């Protein structure tokens, strides 16, 4: 028997509570998190662009990562804040498709950029004498461009496949248009049409994850073989921020997937979606700033210069 198929014009993002008190709390919390993400990532981009001594491959990839973090949160958080403020749950079909596409695009590019950054750390620590010849600006642009292109391809395949299916429901128990929840309301079993896309994404992410692991296995072997304690500490300090960011992204994603599969309430899905989509972009600038002497020095110099300029201005 064919399912009841209707033309979908709007979806309903159930998200959080429909009580006005909780919606106001939702708006305030998301506003604070979004402001923290904007300030942290924009400040990081400005520091790298404005300081010549930060014009290095590692910081070039860091700027790309900050842009990805800004993009992934900007396609979800402001829309959710507006819905809470206006007490509406509706999102148009086209807006839902665009949101899902860009969210997957930025999230995929984030992971691929982290792989490029792992290779950068591998060359810097394991082959320091060849670093400048290997990590040329042309090579950096190619790796960053490949990460963006693969993210675009992955998002286009998922969006094209998923939104070619008919939907039997308009209710999405999430605060954003997320692939698993859209698959749940499809009229047909989406696994038959999504299987090739899922296999492609899984294979792609698996390959890049293995590359990250292999890079750090070789990095740790090289560090442990160093005779100088100071050299070990310096090498560890340059790769710890990136390793923490990788663990944060992969850890929150895997934790969310594991808990959502075992949790029966959709409220858990909403909370977990916030954890893996909002927490990493908010924490990434903090992690890199706290563990990086160059960024802290550039930040301190910028504030000192601003104070000096204010003091020297004529009354």
């Amino acid at each position: 028997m064919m399912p009841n198929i209707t033309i979908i014009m709007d979806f309903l993002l159930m998200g959080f509570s429909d009580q006005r008190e909780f919606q106001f709390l939702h708006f305030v919390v998301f506003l604070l998190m979004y402001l923290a993400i904007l300030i942290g990532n924009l400040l990081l981009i400005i520091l790298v662009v404005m300081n010549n001594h930060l014009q290095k491959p590692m910081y070039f990839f860091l700027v790309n990562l900050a842009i990805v973090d800004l993009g992934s949160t900007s396609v979800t958080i402001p829309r959710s804040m507006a819905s809470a403020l206006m007490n509406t749950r509706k999102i148009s079909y086209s807006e839902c498709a665009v949101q899902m596409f860009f969210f997957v695009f930025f999230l995929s590019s984030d992971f691929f950029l982290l792989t490029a950054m792992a290779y950068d750390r591998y060359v810097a620590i394991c082959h320091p004498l060849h670093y400048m010849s290997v990590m040329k600006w042309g090579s950096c642009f190619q790796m960053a461009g490949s990460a963006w292109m693969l993210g675009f391809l992955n998002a286009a395949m998922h969006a094209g496949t998923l939104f070619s299916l008919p939907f039997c429901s308009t209710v999405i128990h999430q605060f954003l248009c997320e692939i698993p929840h859209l698959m749940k309301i499809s009229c047909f079993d989406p696994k038959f049409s999504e299987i090739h896309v899922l296999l492609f994404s899984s294979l792609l992410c698996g390959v890049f994850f293995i590359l990250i692991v292999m890079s750090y296995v070789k990095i740790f072997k090289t560090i442990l073989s160093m005779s100088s304690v100071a050299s070990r500490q310096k090498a560890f300090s340059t790769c710890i921020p990136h390793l923490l960011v990788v663990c944060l992204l992969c850890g929150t994603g895997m934790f969310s997937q594991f808990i959502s599969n075992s949790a029966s309430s959709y409220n858990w899905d909403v909370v977990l979606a916030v954890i893996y989509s909002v927490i990493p972009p908010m924490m990434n600038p903090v992690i890199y700033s706290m563990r990086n002497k160059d960024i802290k020095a550039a930040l301190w110099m910028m504030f000192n210069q601003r104070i000096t300029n204010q003091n020297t201005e004529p009354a």
Side-chain angles (χ1 to χ4, degrees):
M1 183 180 294
M2 289 293 292
N4 242 345
I5 301 175
T6 57
I7 298 175
I8 303 294
M9 300 299 295
D10 298 295
F11 290 105
L12 296 176
L13 293 175
M14 303 307 291
F16 301 93
S17 174
D18 57 355
Q19 297 181 17
R20 287 304 293 164
E21 295 82 2
F22 286 102
Q23 286 179 340
F24 180 73
L25 179 63
H26 163 203
F27 174 82
V28 172
V29 171
F30 268 42
L31 176 63
L32 293 175
M33 290 192 296
Y34 189 56
L35 286 175
I37 292 168
L38 284 178
I39 293 171
N41 286 283
L42 286 176
L43 185 59
L44 197 59
I45 294 171
I46 292 170
L47 286 175
V48 175
V49 172
M50 299 298 292
N51 289 273
N52 291 329
H53 68 281
L54 295 181
Q55 304 296 318
K56 300 175 183 178
M58 180 176 70
Y59 300 109
F60 167 74
F61 289 119
L62 190 56
V63 167
N64 278 266
L65 190 68
I67 294 172
V68 164
D69 289 339
L70 287 172
S72 65
T73 50
S74 295
V75 298
T76 56
I77 295 181
R79 180 63 176 78
S80 183
M81 288 167 53
S83 298
L85 194 63
M86 295 185 293
N87 193 22
T88 179
R89 298 180 181 276
K90 282 187 178 182
I91 182 171
S92 68
Y93 182 92
S94 57
E95 189 180 357
C96 184
V98 169
Q99 186 187 70
M100 195 216 79
F101 169 81
F102 278 105
F103 183 69
V104 176
F105 167 54
F106 286 119
L107 206 62
S108 303
S109 301
D110 194 346
F111 187 70
F112 301 149
L113 281 169
L114 288 174
T115 308
M117 294 173 75
Y119 179 73
D120 171 76
R121 291 299 84 205
Y122 160 74
V123 177
I125 294 174
C126 299
H127 304 284
L129 298 178
H130 302 284
Y131 181 76
M132 297 305 298
S133 60
V134 174
M135 298 302 295
K136 298 178 181 177
W137 283 114
S139 302
C140 294
F141 281 114
Q142 287 179 357
M143 284 190 284
S146 299
W148 286 99
M149 287 299 295
L150 286 172
F152 180 87
L153 177 62
N154 189 38
M157 291 176 65
H158 277 291
T161 302
L162 194 55
F163 281 90
S164 64
L165 300 173
F167 296 98
C168 289
S169 174
T170 61
V171 179
I172 301 174
H173 293 291
Q174 189 55 275
F175 77 95
L176 75 159
C177 291
E178 195 182 34
I179 291 177
H181 290 272
L182 287 167
M183 291 172 66
K184 288 178 182 178
I185 63 173
S186 172
C187 294
F188 303 106
D189 188 353
K191 292 181 180 178
F192 291 107
S193 54
E194 269 264 293
I195 187 66
H196 296 97
V197 180
L198 290 172
L199 284 174
F200 171 78
S201 298
S202 301
L203 179 63
L204 200 62
C205 292
V207 168
F208 281 106
F209 182 74
I210 291 172
L211 290 174
I212 293 176
V213 172
M214 289 176 60
S215 297
Y216 273 101
V217 168
K218 293 182 179 180
I219 286 171
F220 289 144
K221 283 184 178 180
T222 302
I223 291 175
L224 292 175
S225 65
M226 294 178 179
S227 56
S228 171
V229 176
S231 299
R232 289 184 186 179
Q233 292 177 345
K234 184 178 180 180
F236 268 122
S237 65
T238 59
C239 64
I240 282 178
H242 174 262
L243 190 59
L244 288 174
V245 170
V246 171
C247 292
L248 183 63
L249 179 65
C250 297
T252 53
M254 288 188 292
F255 176 76
S256 301
Q257 184 65 30
F258 175 77
I259 297 296
S260 63
N261 289 337
S262 59
S264 57
S265 174
Y266 77 85
N267 290 326
W268 265 108
D269 286 345
V270 177
V271 174
L272 294 170
V274 173
I275 291 175
Y276 84 82
S277 64
V278 178
I279 300 302
M282 187 168 58
M283 293 302 300
N284 288 351
V286 178
I287 292 172
Y288 273 102
S289 300
M290 288 181 64
R291 299 290 306 181
N292 193 293
K293 293 181 179 179
D294 292 335
I295 292 179
K296 286 192 289 187
L299 185 62
W300 182 252
M301 187 184 304
M302 186 181 72
F303 283 130
N304 279 343
Q305 186 176 7
R306 186 174 180 82
I307 293 172
T308 304
N309 292 337
Q310 288 179 348
N311 292 334
T312 55
E313 285 181 357

